[in-house]
């Protein structure tokens, strides 16, 4: 599941731990020896879901022989008859989203509250004693009530993190993968679908996540914090596409034009993710960490876990 396990354990895992499982080795063993496993998560910092949760994996860890891709209505009907997830089927155009996922050349994931179970900037603010002030701005940005660039600038001006602050944060509070996202990414990559991380978060915090998931560094689109010669905060790179409102649509257009992808899916929990469709051909809203009603209303397909997505990816090859 994880590329080059030894180097990751020697470098990345000191700063980023998959705390949803006892260890990386245990994760690999459980996936190879059993068709399902149970992962107990520690308490989340998200006040909406503060208690530990137990998640039952219903998918097979071994990809199924891939079938010809039917139309979206047929895919949807198969899950209505025999559901593989505890999540109800929700969305504005579920059949189209399912077919797009089955045929996707690329899938772009938001990171905070989607790939990981927390908002990275809120975790950083907590370690610097600025948590409540910053999280209020984060909620405004994710709900679409303020321009993203204004929220980003305001939050960074509050915390002004140094390079050492970020390194210490990752050591003290390792980020946690959302249950099943590693299996979904692995299934996509095995199928030949390119995976991108497109985030309004910070590259320094996201690149360790990408390393664990086996996502290439040049497939990470995120914000770059600037530091002076002493490592003190000196602003952020405003030329990054994700540093401003409508930044994710811009990033996805860049990706689509650069690689010539015909079918692209965006997966995320926030209003900025919903903005990315189009150019994404489908937006799958994710509510496994926090459910945002504005996002739920805009999603082609809204899921609260990755089980059905994993099943579709394993079942169908991309065109």
């Amino acid at each position: 599941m994880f590329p080059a396990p030894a180097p990751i354990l020697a470098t990345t895992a000191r700063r980023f731990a998959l705390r949803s499982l006892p260890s990386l080795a245990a994760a690999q063993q459980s996936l190879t020896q059993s068709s399902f496993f149970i992962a107990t998560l520690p308490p989340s910092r998200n006040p909406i879901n503060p208690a530990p949760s137990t998640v039952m994996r219903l998918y097979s860890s071994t990809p199924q022989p891939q079938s010809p891709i039917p139309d979206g209505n047929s895919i949807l009907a198969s899950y209505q008859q025999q559901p593989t997830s505890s999540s109800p089927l929700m969305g504005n155009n579920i059949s189209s989203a399912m077919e797009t996922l089955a045929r996707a050349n690329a899938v772009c994931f938001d990171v905070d509250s989607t790939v990981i179970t927390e908002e990275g900037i809120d975790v950083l603010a907590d370690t610097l004693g600025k948590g409540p002030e910053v999280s209020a701005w984060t909620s405004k940005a994710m709900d679409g009530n303020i321009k993203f660039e204004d929220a980003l600038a305001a939050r960074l001006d509050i915390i002004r993190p140094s390079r050492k602050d970020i390194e210490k944060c990752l050591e003290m509070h390792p980020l946690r993968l959302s249950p099943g996202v590693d299996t979904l990414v692995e299934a996509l990559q095995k199928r030949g679908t390119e995976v991108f991380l497109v985030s309004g978060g910070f590259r320094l915090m996201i690149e360790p996540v990408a390393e664990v998931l086996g996502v290439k560094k040049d497939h990470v689109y995120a914000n770059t914090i600037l530091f002076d010669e002493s490592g003190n905060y000196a602003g952020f790179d405003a030329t990054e596409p994700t540093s401003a409102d409508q930044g994710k649509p811009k990033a996805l257009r860049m990706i689509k034009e650069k690689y010539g992808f015909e079918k692209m899916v965006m997966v995320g929990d926030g209003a900025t993710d919903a903005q990315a469709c189009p150019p994404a051909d489908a937006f799958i809203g994710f509510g496994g960490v926090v459910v945002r009603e504005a996002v739920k209303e805009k999603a082609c397909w809204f899921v609260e876990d990755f089980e059905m997505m994993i099943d579709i990816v394993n079942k169908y090859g991309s065109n």
Side-chain angles (χ1 to χ4, degrees), residues 95-140:
S95 61
S96 177
M98 286 181 165
E99 183 174 353
T100 302
L101 178 62
R103 298 182 184 276
N105 311 115
V107 176
C108 301
F109 290 89
D110 174 44
V111 176
D112 296 328
S113 296
T114 300
V115 169
I116 62 173
T117 63
E118 297 162 300
E119 293 287 329
I121 192 169
D122 291 350
V123 175
L124 179 58
D126 282 342
T127 66
L128 298 174
K130 303 287 186 179
E133 195 173 354
V134 168
S135 63
W137 280 98
T138 299
S139 295
K140 291 178 184 178

Side-chain angles (χ1 to χ4, degrees), residues 51-67:
S53 61
T54 300
V55 180
M56 176 73 79
R57 300 275 190 255
L58 301 175
Y59 52 80
S60 170
S61 60
T62 304
Q64 307 163 29
Q66 292 179 345
S67 307

Side-chain angles (χ1 to χ4, degrees), residues 97-245:
M98 286 181 165
E99 183 174 353
T100 302
L101 178 62
R103 298 182 184 276
N105 311 115
V107 176
C108 301
F109 290 89
D110 174 44
V111 176
D112 296 328
S113 296
T114 300
V115 169
I116 62 173
T117 63
E118 297 162 300
E119 293 287 329
I121 192 169
D122 291 350
V123 175
L124 179 58
D126 282 342
T127 66
L128 298 174
K130 303 287 186 179
E133 195 173 354
V134 168
S135 63
W137 280 98
T138 299
S139 295
K140 291 178 184 178
M142 292 302 98
D143 290 337
N145 296 327
I146 189 172
K147 285 187 177 180
F148 183 80
E149 61 265 36
D150 294 338
L152 178 63
R155 290 176 293 176
L156 283 173
D157 192 52
I158 291 168
I159 57 179
R160 303 185 66 82
S162 68
R163 186 182 293 275
K164 286 185 179 179
D165 287 335
I166 295 175
E167 292 173 353
K168 184 178 180 181
C169 171
L170 291 173
E171 290 172 0
M172 293 175 58
H173 302 280
L175 304 175
R176 298 174 290 171
L177 289 182
S178 293
V181 71
D182 48 354
T183 301
L184 175 56
V185 169
E186 181 186 29
L188 287 163
Q189 291 170 333
K190 282 185 176 180
R191 192 181 73 169
T193 301
E194 295 288 337
V195 174
F196 295 81
L197 302 183
V198 182
S199 173
F202 306 132
R203 190 173 295 276
L204 273 176
M205 300 181 78
I206 290 170
E207 285 184 347
V209 179
E211 184 178 358
V212 170
L213 291 173
V215 175
K216 305 170 191 174
K217 276 192 177 183
D218 64 359
H219 281 30
V220 174
Y221 288 71
N223 287 314
T224 300
I225 297 178
L226 304 177
F227 305 99
D228 63 20
E229 293 180 357
S230 300
N232 296 315
Y233 175 72
F236 64 94
D237 185 354
T239 66
E240 293 278 13
T242 55
S243 67
D245 200 44

